[in-house]
Coordinates of all heavy atoms in Angstrom, one line a residue:
M144 N 0.8 -1.2 0.0 CA 0.0 0.0 0.0 C 0.9 1.2 0.0 O 1.9 1.3 0.7 CB -0.9 0.0 1.2 CG -1.8 1.2 1.3 SD -2.8 1.1 2.8 CE -3.9 -0.2 2.3
T145 N 0.6 2.2 -0.8 CA 1.3 3.4 -0.9 C 0.5 4.6 -0.3 O -0.7 4.6 -0.3 CB 1.8 3.7 -2.3 OG1 0.6 3.9 -3.1 CG2 2.7 2.6 -2.8
N146 N 1.2 5.7 0.0 CA 0.6 6.8 0.6 C 1.4 8.0 0.2 O 2.6 8.0 0.1 CB 0.6 6.7 2.1 CG -0.3 7.7 2.8 OD1 -1.0 8.5 2.1 ND2 -0.3 7.7 4.1
Q147 N 0.8 9.2 0.0 CA 1.5 10.4 -0.4 C 1.8 11.2 0.9 O 1.6 12.4 0.9 CB 0.7 11.2 -1.4 CG 0.6 10.5 -2.7 CD 1.4 11.2 -3.8 OE1 1.5 12.4 -3.8 NE2 1.8 10.4 -4.8
D148 N 2.3 10.6 1.9 CA 2.6 11.3 3.2 C 3.8 12.2 3.0 O 4.6 11.9 2.1 CB 2.9 10.3 4.3 CG 1.6 9.6 4.8 OD1 0.6 10.2 4.7 OD2 1.7 8.5 5.2
L149 N 4.0 13.1 3.8 CA 5.0 14.1 3.7 C 6.2 13.8 4.7 O 5.9 13.5 5.9 CB 4.5 15.5 4.1 CG 5.5 16.6 4.2 CD1 6.1 17.0 2.8 CD2 4.8 17.8 4.8
V150 N 7.4 13.7 4.2 CA 8.6 13.7 5.1 C 9.3 15.0 4.9 O 9.6 15.4 3.7 CB 9.5 12.5 4.7 CG1 10.8 12.6 5.5 CG2 8.8 11.2 5.0
G151 N 9.6 15.7 5.9 CA 10.4 16.9 5.8 C 11.7 16.8 6.6 O 11.7 16.3 7.7
I152 N 12.8 17.3 6.0 CA 14.0 17.3 6.8 C 14.6 18.7 6.7 O 14.4 19.4 5.8 CB 15.0 16.3 6.2 CG1 15.4 16.5 4.7 CG2 14.5 14.8 6.4 CD1 16.5 15.7 4.2
T153 N 15.3 19.1 7.7 CA 16.1 20.3 7.8 C 17.5 20.0 8.2 O 17.7 19.0 8.8 CB 15.4 21.3 8.7 OG1 15.4 20.8 10.0 CG2 14.0 21.7 8.3
W154 N 18.4 20.9 7.9 CA 19.8 20.7 8.4 C 20.5 22.0 8.6 O 20.0 23.0 8.2 CB 20.6 19.8 7.3 CG 20.6 20.5 5.9 CD1 21.5 21.4 5.4 CD2 19.6 20.3 4.9 NE1 21.2 21.7 4.2 CE2 20.0 21.1 3.8 CE3 18.5 19.5 4.8 CZ2 19.3 21.1 2.6 CZ3 17.8 19.5 3.6 CH2 18.2 20.3 2.5
S155 N 21.7 21.9 9.2 CA 22.5 23.0 9.4 C 23.8 22.8 8.6 O 24.2 21.7 8.4 CB 22.9 23.2 10.9 OG 21.7 23.3 11.7
D156 N 24.5 23.9 8.3 CA 25.8 23.8 7.6 C 26.8 23.2 8.6 O 26.7 23.3 9.8 CB 26.3 25.2 7.2 CG 25.5 25.7 6.0 OD1 25.0 24.9 5.2 OD2 25.4 27.0 5.9
G157 N 27.8 22.6 8.0 CA 28.9 22.0 8.8 C 29.7 23.0 9.4 O 29.5 24.2 9.2
L158 N 30.7 22.6 10.2 CA 31.5 23.6 10.9 C 32.5 24.3 10.0 O 32.9 25.4 10.3 CB 32.3 22.8 12.0 CG 31.4 22.2 13.1 CD1 32.3 21.4 14.1 CD2 30.6 23.2 13.8
N159 N 32.9 23.7 8.9 CA 33.9 24.3 8.0 C 33.4 24.3 6.6 O 33.2 23.2 6.0 CB 35.2 23.5 8.1 CG 36.3 24.2 7.3 OD1 36.1 25.1 6.6 ND2 37.5 23.7 7.5
A160 N 33.2 25.5 6.0 CA 32.8 25.6 4.6 C 33.9 25.7 3.6 O 33.7 26.0 2.5 CB 31.8 26.7 4.4
G161 N 35.1 25.6 4.1 CA 36.3 25.7 3.3 C 36.6 27.2 2.8 O 37.4 27.4 1.9
G162 N 36.0 28.1 3.5 CA 36.3 29.5 3.2 C 35.4 30.1 2.1 O 35.6 31.3 1.8
T163 N 34.6 29.4 1.5 CA 33.7 30.0 0.4 C 32.3 29.7 0.7 O 31.9 28.6 1.3 CB 34.1 29.4 -1.0 OG1 33.8 28.0 -1.0 CG2 35.5 29.7 -1.4
P164 N 31.4 30.6 0.3 CA 29.9 30.4 0.7 C 29.3 29.2 0.0 O 29.7 28.8 -1.1 CB 29.3 31.7 0.2 CG 30.4 32.6 -0.2 CD 31.6 31.8 -0.4
V165 N 28.3 28.6 0.6 CA 27.5 27.5 0.1 C 26.7 28.0 -1.1 O 26.0 29.1 -0.9 CB 26.7 26.8 1.1 CG1 25.7 25.8 0.5 CG2 27.5 26.2 2.2
I166 N 26.7 27.3 -2.2 CA 25.9 27.7 -3.4 C 24.5 27.0 -3.3 O 23.5 27.7 -3.4 CB 26.6 27.3 -4.7 CG1 27.9 28.1 -4.8 CG2 25.7 27.6 -5.9 CD1 28.8 27.6 -5.9
D167 N 24.5 25.7 -3.0 CA 23.3 25.0 -2.9 C 23.6 23.6 -2.3 O 24.7 23.3 -1.9 CB 22.6 24.8 -4.3 CG 23.5 24.1 -5.3 OD1 24.5 23.5 -5.0 OD2 23.1 24.2 -6.5
Y168 N 22.5 22.8 -2.2 CA 22.6 21.5 -1.5 C 22.1 20.4 -2.5 O 21.3 20.6 -3.4 CB 21.8 21.5 -0.3 CG 22.2 22.6 0.7 CD1 21.6 23.8 0.6 CD2 23.2 22.4 1.6 CE1 22.0 24.9 1.5 CE2 23.6 23.4 2.5 CZ 23.0 24.6 2.4 OH 23.4 25.6 3.2
R169 N 22.5 19.2 -2.2 CA 22.0 18.0 -2.9 C 21.5 17.0 -1.9 O 22.2 16.6 -0.9 CB 23.2 17.4 -3.7 CG 22.9 16.2 -4.5 CD 23.9 15.8 -5.5 NE 25.2 15.6 -5.0 CZ 26.3 15.4 -5.8 NH1 26.2 15.5 -7.1 NH2 27.5 15.2 -5.2
V170 N 20.3 16.5 -2.1 CA 19.7 15.5 -1.1 C 19.7 14.1 -1.8 O 19.2 14.0 -3.0 CB 18.3 15.9 -0.8 CG1 17.6 14.9 0.2 CG2 18.3 17.3 -0.1
S171 N 20.1 13.1 -1.1 CA 20.1 11.7 -1.6 C 19.2 10.9 -0.7 O 19.0 11.2 0.5 CB 21.5 11.2 -1.6 OG 22.4 11.9 -2.4
W172 N 18.7 9.8 -1.2 CA 17.9 8.9 -0.4 C 18.2 7.5 -0.8 O 18.6 7.2 -1.9 CB 16.5 9.3 -0.4 CG 15.7 8.9 -1.7 CD1 16.2 8.8 -3.0 CD2 14.3 8.8 -1.8 NE1 15.1 8.5 -3.8 CE2 14.0 8.5 -3.1 CE3 13.3 8.8 -0.8 CZ2 12.7 8.3 -3.5 CZ3 12.0 8.5 -1.3 CH2 11.7 8.3 -2.6
D173 N 17.8 6.6 0.2 CA 17.9 5.1 0.0 C 16.5 4.7 0.4 O 16.0 4.9 1.5 CB 18.9 4.5 0.9 CG 18.9 3.0 0.9 OD1 18.3 2.4 0.0 OD2 19.5 2.4 1.8
K174 N 15.8 4.0 -0.6 CA 14.5 3.5 -0.4 C 14.5 2.1 0.2 O 13.7 1.3 -0.1 CB 13.7 3.5 -1.7 CG 13.6 4.9 -2.3 CD 12.8 4.9 -3.6 CE 13.8 4.6 -4.7 NZ 13.1 4.7 -6.0
S175 N 15.3 1.8 1.2 CA 15.5 0.5 1.9 C 16.1 -0.6 1.0 O 15.9 -1.7 1.3 CB 14.1 0.1 2.4 OG 13.6 0.9 3.4
Y176 N 16.7 -0.2 -0.1 CA 17.3 -1.2 -1.0 C 18.9 -1.2 -0.8 O 19.5 -2.0 -1.5 CB 17.0 -0.9 -2.4 CG 15.5 -0.9 -2.7 CD1 14.9 0.2 -3.3 CD2 14.7 -2.0 -2.4 CE1 13.5 0.2 -3.6 CE2 13.4 -2.0 -2.7 CZ 12.8 -0.9 -3.3 OH 11.4 -0.9 -3.5
G177 N 19.4 -0.3 0.0 CA 20.9 -0.3 0.1 C 21.6 0.5 -1.0 O 22.8 0.4 -1.2
T178 N 20.8 1.2 -1.9 CA 21.3 1.9 -3.0 C 20.9 3.4 -2.8 O 19.7 3.7 -2.8 CB 20.7 1.4 -4.3 OG1 21.0 0.0 -4.4 CG2 21.3 2.1 -5.5
W179 N 21.9 4.3 -2.8 CA 21.6 5.7 -2.7 C 21.4 6.3 -4.1 O 22.1 6.0 -5.0 CB 22.8 6.4 -2.0 CG 22.8 6.1 -0.6 CD1 23.6 5.0 0.0 CD2 22.1 6.7 0.5 NE1 23.3 5.0 1.4 CE2 22.5 6.0 1.7 CE3 21.2 7.8 0.6 CZ2 21.9 6.4 2.9 CZ3 20.7 8.1 1.8 CH2 21.1 7.4 3.0
E180 N 20.4 7.2 -4.1 CA 20.0 7.9 -5.4 C 19.9 9.4 -5.0 O 19.5 9.8 -4.0 CB 18.7 7.4 -5.9 CG 18.6 6.0 -6.3 CD 17.2 5.6 -6.7 OE1 16.3 6.5 -6.8 OE2 17.0 4.4 -6.8
Y181 N 20.3 10.3 -6.0 CA 20.0 11.7 -5.8 C 18.5 11.9 -5.9 O 17.9 11.5 -6.9 CB 20.8 12.5 -6.9 CG 22.3 12.4 -6.8 CD1 23.0 12.0 -7.8 CD2 22.9 12.7 -5.6 CE1 24.4 11.9 -7.7 CE2 24.3 12.6 -5.4 CZ 25.0 12.1 -6.5 OH 26.4 12.0 -6.4
L182 N 18.0 12.6 -4.9 CA 16.6 12.9 -4.9 C 16.3 14.3 -5.4 O 15.4 14.5 -6.2 CB 16.0 12.7 -3.5 CG 14.6 12.9 -3.2 CD1 13.7 12.0 -4.1 CD2 14.3 12.7 -1.8
E183 N 17.2 15.2 -5.1 CA 17.0 16.6 -5.5 C 18.3 17.3 -5.5 O 19.1 17.1 -4.6 CB 16.0 17.3 -4.5 CG 15.6 18.7 -5.0 CD 14.6 18.7 -6.1 OE1 13.8 17.8 -6.1 OE2 14.7 19.6 -6.9
T184 N 18.6 18.1 -6.5 CA 19.9 18.9 -6.6 C 19.4 20.3 -6.7 O 18.3 20.6 -7.1 CB 20.8 18.5 -7.8 OG1 20.0 18.6 -9.0 CG2 21.2 17.0 -7.6
G185 N 20.4 21.2 -6.4 CA 20.1 22.6 -6.6 C 19.1 23.2 -5.5 O 18.5 24.2 -5.7
V186 N 19.1 22.5 -4.3 CA 18.3 23.0 -3.2 C 18.9 24.2 -2.6 O 20.1 24.2 -2.2 CB 18.1 21.9 -2.1 CG1 17.3 22.4 -1.0 CG2 17.5 20.6 -2.8
L187 N 18.2 25.3 -2.6 CA 18.7 26.6 -2.1 C 18.5 26.9 -0.7 O 19.2 27.8 -0.2 CB 18.1 27.7 -3.0 CG 18.4 27.6 -4.5 CD1 17.7 28.7 -5.2 CD2 19.9 27.6 -4.8
V188 N 17.7 26.2 0.0 CA 17.4 26.4 1.4 C 17.7 25.2 2.2 O 17.8 24.1 1.6 CB 15.9 26.9 1.7 CG1 15.7 28.2 1.1 CG2 15.0 25.8 1.2
K189 N 17.9 25.3 3.5 CA 18.3 24.1 4.3 C 17.1 23.3 4.8 O 17.0 23.0 6.0 CB 19.2 24.6 5.5 CG 20.5 25.1 5.1 CD 21.3 25.6 6.2 CE 21.4 27.1 6.2 NZ 22.2 27.7 7.2
K190 N 16.2 23.0 3.8 CA 15.1 22.1 4.1 C 14.6 21.5 2.9 O 14.9 22.0 1.8 CB 14.0 22.9 4.8 CG 13.4 24.0 4.0 CD 12.3 24.7 4.8 CE 11.7 25.8 3.9 NZ 10.6 26.5 4.6
F191 N 14.0 20.3 3.0 CA 13.5 19.6 1.9 C 12.3 18.7 2.3 O 12.3 18.3 3.4 CB 14.6 18.6 1.3 CG 14.1 17.8 0.2 CD1 14.0 18.3 -1.1 CD2 13.7 16.5 0.4 CE1 13.5 17.5 -2.1 CE2 13.2 15.7 -0.6 CZ 13.1 16.2 -1.9
S192 N 11.3 18.6 1.5 CA 10.2 17.7 1.8 C 9.9 16.9 0.6 O 10.2 17.2 -0.6 CB 8.9 18.6 2.1 OG 8.5 19.4 1.0
T193 N 9.2 15.7 0.9 CA 9.0 14.7 -0.2 C 7.6 14.9 -0.8 O 7.0 14.0 -1.3 CB 9.0 13.3 0.4 OG1 8.1 13.2 1.5 CG2 10.4 13.0 0.9
I194 N 7.1 16.1 -0.9 CA 5.8 16.4 -1.5 C 5.8 15.8 -2.9 O 6.7 16.1 -3.7 CB 5.5 17.9 -1.5 CG1 5.4 18.4 -0.1 CG2 4.3 18.2 -2.3 CD1 5.2 19.9 0.0
G195 N 4.7 15.1 -3.2 CA 4.6 14.5 -4.5 C 5.3 13.2 -4.7 O 5.2 12.6 -5.8
I196 N 6.0 12.7 -3.7 CA 6.7 11.4 -3.9 C 5.9 10.3 -3.1 O 5.5 10.6 -2.0 CB 8.1 11.5 -3.3 CG1 8.9 12.5 -4.1 CG2 8.8 10.1 -3.2 CD1 10.3 12.8 -3.5
T197 N 5.7 9.2 -3.7 CA 4.9 8.2 -3.1 C 5.8 7.4 -2.2 O 6.8 6.9 -2.6 CB 4.3 7.3 -4.2 OG1 3.4 8.1 -5.0 CG2 3.5 6.2 -3.5
L198 N 5.4 7.2 -0.9 CA 6.2 6.4 0.0 C 5.3 5.2 0.4 O 4.1 5.2 0.3 CB 6.4 7.3 1.3 CG 7.1 8.6 1.1 CD1 7.2 9.3 2.4 CD2 8.5 8.4 0.5
T199 N 6.0 4.1 0.7 CA 5.3 2.9 1.1 C 5.3 2.7 2.6 O 6.4 2.8 3.3 CB 6.1 1.7 0.5 OG1 6.1 1.9 -1.0 CG2 5.4 0.4 0.8
R200 N 4.1 2.5 3.2 CA 4.0 2.3 4.6 C 4.8 1.2 5.1 O 4.9 0.1 4.4 CB 2.6 2.1 5.0 CG 1.7 3.3 4.9 CD 0.3 3.0 5.4 NE -0.5 4.2 5.0 CZ -1.8 4.0 4.6 NH1 -2.4 2.9 4.6 NH2 -2.5 5.1 4.3
G201 N 5.5 1.3 6.2 CA 6.3 0.3 6.8 C 7.7 0.2 6.2 O 8.5 -0.5 6.8
R202 N 8.0 1.0 5.2 CA 9.4 1.0 4.7 C 10.2 2.1 5.3 O 9.7 3.2 5.6 CB 9.3 1.2 3.2 CG 10.7 1.3 2.6 CD 10.7 1.3 1.1 NE 10.3 -0.1 0.6 CZ 10.0 -0.4 -0.6 NH1 9.9 0.5 -1.5 NH2 9.7 -1.6 -0.9
T203 N 11.5 1.9 5.6 CA 12.3 2.9 6.2 C 13.1 3.6 5.1 O 13.8 2.9 4.3 CB 13.3 2.3 7.2 OG1 12.5 1.7 8.3 CG2 14.2 3.3 7.8
Y204 N 13.1 4.9 5.0 CA 13.8 5.7 4.1 C 14.9 6.4 4.8 O 14.8 6.8 5.9 CB 12.9 6.7 3.4 CG 11.7 6.0 2.6 CD1 10.6 5.7 3.2 CD2 11.9 5.8 1.3 CE1 9.5 5.1 2.5 CE2 10.9 5.2 0.5 CZ 9.7 4.8 1.2 OH 8.7 4.2 0.4
S205 N 16.1 6.5 4.1 CA 17.2 7.2 4.6 C 17.5 8.4 3.8 O 17.4 8.3 2.5 CB 18.4 6.2 4.7 OG 18.2 5.1 5.5
F206 N 18.0 9.4 4.4 CA 18.3 10.7 3.7 C 19.7 11.2 4.1 O 20.1 11.1 5.2 CB 17.3 11.8 4.0 CG 15.9 11.4 3.5 CD1 15.0 10.7 4.4 CD2 15.4 11.8 2.3 CE1 13.8 10.4 4.0 CE2 14.1 11.4 1.9 CZ 13.3 10.7 2.8
K207 N 20.4 11.8 3.1 CA 21.7 12.4 3.3 C 21.8 13.7 2.5 O 21.0 13.9 1.5 CB 22.9 11.5 2.9 CG 23.0 10.2 3.6 CD 24.4 9.6 3.3 CE 24.2 8.4 2.4 NZ 25.5 7.7 2.2
V208 N 22.6 14.6 3.0 CA 22.7 15.9 2.3 C 24.2 16.3 2.1 O 25.1 15.9 2.9 CB 22.1 17.0 3.2 CG1 22.3 18.4 2.5 CG2 20.6 16.8 3.4
E209 N 24.5 16.9 0.9 CA 25.8 17.5 0.6 C 25.6 19.0 0.3 O 24.6 19.3 -0.3 CB 26.4 16.8 -0.6 CG 26.6 15.3 -0.4 CD 26.9 14.7 -1.8 OE1 28.1 14.7 -2.2 OE2 25.9 14.2 -2.4
S210 N 26.6 19.8 0.7 CA 26.5 21.2 0.2 C 27.5 21.3 -0.9 O 28.5 20.5 -1.1 CB 26.9 22.1 1.4 OG 28.2 21.8 1.9
R211 N 27.3 22.4 -1.7 CA 28.2 22.7 -2.8 C 28.7 24.1 -2.7 O 27.9 25.0 -2.5 CB 27.5 22.4 -4.1 CG 28.4 22.7 -5.3 CD 27.7 22.2 -6.6 NE 26.6 23.0 -6.9 CZ 26.5 24.0 -7.8 NH1 27.6 24.3 -8.5 NH2 25.4 24.7 -8.1
N212 N 30.0 24.4 -2.9 CA 30.5 25.7 -3.0 C 31.4 25.8 -4.3 O 31.3 24.8 -5.1 CB 31.3 26.1 -1.7 CG 32.5 25.3 -1.5 OD1 33.0 24.6 -2.3 ND2 33.0 25.4 -0.3
L213 N 32.2 26.8 -4.5 CA 33.0 26.9 -5.7 C 34.0 25.8 -5.9 O 34.4 25.5 -7.0 CB 33.7 28.3 -5.7 CG 32.8 29.5 -5.8 CD1 33.6 30.8 -5.7 CD2 32.1 29.5 -7.1
V214 N 34.4 25.1 -4.8 CA 35.3 24.1 -4.9 C 34.7 22.7 -5.3 O 35.3 21.9 -5.9 CB 36.0 23.9 -3.5 CG1 37.0 22.7 -3.5 CG2 36.7 25.2 -3.1
G215 N 33.4 22.6 -5.0 CA 32.7 21.3 -5.3 C 31.8 20.9 -4.2 O 31.4 21.7 -3.3
Y216 N 31.4 19.6 -4.1 CA 30.5 19.1 -3.1 C 31.3 18.8 -1.9 O 32.4 18.3 -1.9 CB 29.7 17.9 -3.6 CG 28.6 18.3 -4.5 CD1 28.7 18.3 -5.8 CD2 27.4 18.7 -3.9 CE1 27.6 18.6 -6.6 CE2 26.3 19.1 -4.7 CZ 26.4 19.1 -6.1 OH 25.4 19.5 -6.8
S217 N 30.6 18.9 -0.7 CA 31.2 18.6 0.6 C 31.2 17.1 0.8 O 30.6 16.3 0.0 CB 30.4 19.2 1.7 OG 29.1 18.6 1.7
D218 N 31.7 16.6 1.9 CA 31.5 15.3 2.3 C 30.0 15.1 2.6 O 29.3 16.0 2.9 CB 32.3 15.0 3.6 CG 33.8 15.0 3.4 OD1 34.2 14.8 2.3 OD2 34.5 15.2 4.4
I219 N 29.6 13.9 2.5 CA 28.1 13.6 2.7 C 27.8 13.6 4.2 O 28.6 13.1 5.0 CB 27.8 12.2 2.1 CG1 28.1 12.2 0.6 CG2 26.4 11.8 2.3 CD1 28.0 10.9 -0.1
S220 N 26.7 14.1 4.5 CA 26.3 14.1 5.9 C 26.0 12.7 6.4 O 25.9 11.8 5.7 CB 25.0 15.0 6.1 OG 23.9 14.3 5.5
A221 N 25.9 12.6 7.8 CA 25.4 11.4 8.3 C 23.9 11.2 7.8 O 23.3 12.2 7.5 CB 25.4 11.5 9.9
S222 N 23.5 10.0 7.7 CA 22.1 9.8 7.3 C 21.1 9.8 8.4 O 21.5 9.6 9.6 CB 22.0 8.4 6.5 OG 22.3 7.4 7.4
I223 N 19.9 10.1 8.1 CA 18.8 10.0 9.0 C 17.8 9.0 8.4 O 17.7 8.8 7.2 CB 18.1 11.3 9.3 CG1 17.5 11.9 8.0 CG2 19.0 12.3 9.9 CD1 16.5 13.0 8.3
Q224 N 17.1 8.3 9.3 CA 16.2 7.3 8.8 C 14.8 7.7 9.3 O 14.6 8.2 10.4 CB 16.5 5.9 9.5 CG 17.7 5.2 8.9 CD 19.0 5.9 9.4 OE1 19.1 6.2 10.5 NE2 19.9 6.1 8.5
V225 N 13.8 7.5 8.4 CA 12.4 7.8 8.6 C 11.6 6.6 8.2 O 11.7 6.0 7.1 CB 12.0 9.0 7.8 CG1 10.5 9.3 8.0 CG2 12.8 10.2 8.1
L226 N 10.7 6.1 9.2 CA 9.8 5.0 8.9 C 8.5 5.6 8.4 O 7.9 6.3 9.2 CB 9.6 4.2 10.2 CG 8.6 3.0 10.1 CD1 9.0 2.0 9.0 CD2 8.4 2.4 11.4
A227 N 8.1 5.2 7.2 CA 6.8 5.7 6.7 C 5.7 5.0 7.4 O 5.6 3.8 7.5 CB 6.7 5.5 5.2
A228 N 4.8 5.8 8.0 CA 3.7 5.2 8.8 C 2.4 5.1 8.0 O 2.2 5.8 7.1 CB 3.5 6.1 10.1

């Protein structure tokens, strides 16, 4: 059974931006398969929601974020897990 429930995540910038401002962010997810996929790139604010994405009840989804500046993408954040209810 699927549901169009909303998952929202927010984050803070890391401790070190390498001396240049953050341009945007990239959000990745794992749909409980052990494979990470880019979910959204070019995110300009420190929040993201899954509006319009179908989630499956009982499945655990994991999310990670990277920031981008003039040098390139940062290290990937720690992941968070969300169980779709």
Side-chain angles (χ1 to χ4, degrees):
M144 179 180 288
T145 60
N146 191 5
Q147 294 247 331
D148 289 331
L149 172 71
V150 171
I152 60 172
T153 61
W154 57 89
S155 300
D156 286 331
L158 298 177
N159 185 350
T163 61
V165 171
I166 297 169
D167 58 13
Y168 303 90
R169 176 166 63 187
V170 179
S171 301
W172 74 335
D173 174 14
K174 299 180 273 186
S175 296
Y176 300 124
T178 304
W179 289 92
E180 301 174 7
Y181 296 124
L182 182 57
E183 188 75 34
T184 59
V186 177
L187 299 177
V188 294
K189 293 180 250 186
K190 63 182 178 179
F191 177 79
S192 64
T193 60
I194 294 173
I196 297 172
T197 302
L198 304 176
T199 302
R200 289 185 191 144
R202 181 172 285 168
T203 300
Y204 296 87
S205 300
F206 297 88
K207 296 193 252 187
V208 177
E209 299 166 87
S210 62
R211 182 171 66 102
N212 63 16
L213 291 175
V214 178
Y216 281 99
S217 68
D218 292 337
I219 299 170
S220 71
S222 64
I223 61 163
Q224 289 74 43
V225 177
L226 175 62

